[in-house]
Amino acid sequence: MKEPAICMRSRLSQRDCYYGGGLVNGARNVTLMADCANRLMAREYGNIGRCRKVQKVHMFYPCYAGDYMEYHARILHTDGNRITLETRCFKIGLIPEDAPFESSAEILENPITVMAMIAEYEVPEERIPAL
C-alpha cells in the first residue's frame, strides 16, 4: 500500500521578503509547509487534524524572492489517533543572475533541500480508518 503523500508548489514573491537583499524569512516556508501538511490531513482525515506538536525543524539553505519552491508532506506513521508527518521544502527554480526578462526562471536539475519538519497531528478516534 502506498503511503499517503501530497505535493504543493509556490513561487516566493517580493511580499515574502523580510530582510534586505530579497531574503525570505524562514518562517514563511514553515507556514507553507504547514499548509501542505494541513492539505494532506484534510484529504486523509476529512479536515479534522490539529497540529499538536512540532518535533523538529531543520533549515538548510536560504530562499529569495523569485525562487520556485516545492513542498512535500507524507505520513510517517500513526499511533492511535496521533499521526506523525514529515514535510520537506525544496528549491526547484530561481531567478538567473543576468535574467533577460523579469519573469525569467532557471529550473534546477537537482532540487535543493531548503527545510525539513516533523510534526505530530491528532484526530478524533472515529476518523481513523479501521484496518
Side-chain angles (χ1 to χ4, degrees), residues 48 81 123-130:
I48 293 294
N81 69 331
V123 296
E125 293 283 347
E126 63 271 11
R127 290 294 190 156
I128 304 293

Side-chain angles (χ1 to χ4, degrees), residues 7-83:
C7 176
M8 183 174 93
R9 289 185 178 165
S10 179
R11 185 175 190 189
L12 301 175
S13 73
Q14 205 58 40
R15 292 184 62 181
D16 297 318
C17 292
Y18 188 75
Y19 304 105
L23 185 62
V24 173
N25 190 350
R28 179 65 181 143
N29 276 324
V30 171
T31 300
L32 291 167
M33 289 167 65
D35 288 348
C36 189
N38 288 337
R39 286 180 185 200
L40 177 60
M41 292 301 293
R43 188 185 73 195
E44 296 296 317
Y45 299 101
N47 204 15
I48 293 294
R50 177 183 293 194
C51 185
R52 289 293 187 191
K53 169 172 61 171
V54 175
Q55 295 175 354
K56 296 179 189 176
V57 176
H58 293 283
M59 297 179 186
F60 302 112
Y61 201 81
C63 294
Y64 298 90
D67 288 348
Y68 287 89
M69 307 302 292
E70 191 170 86
Y71 303 89
H72 295 256
R74 67 186 178 110
I75 295 176
L76 293 178
H77 65 278
T78 60
D79 182 18
N81 69 331
R82 293 177 190 257
I83 292 90

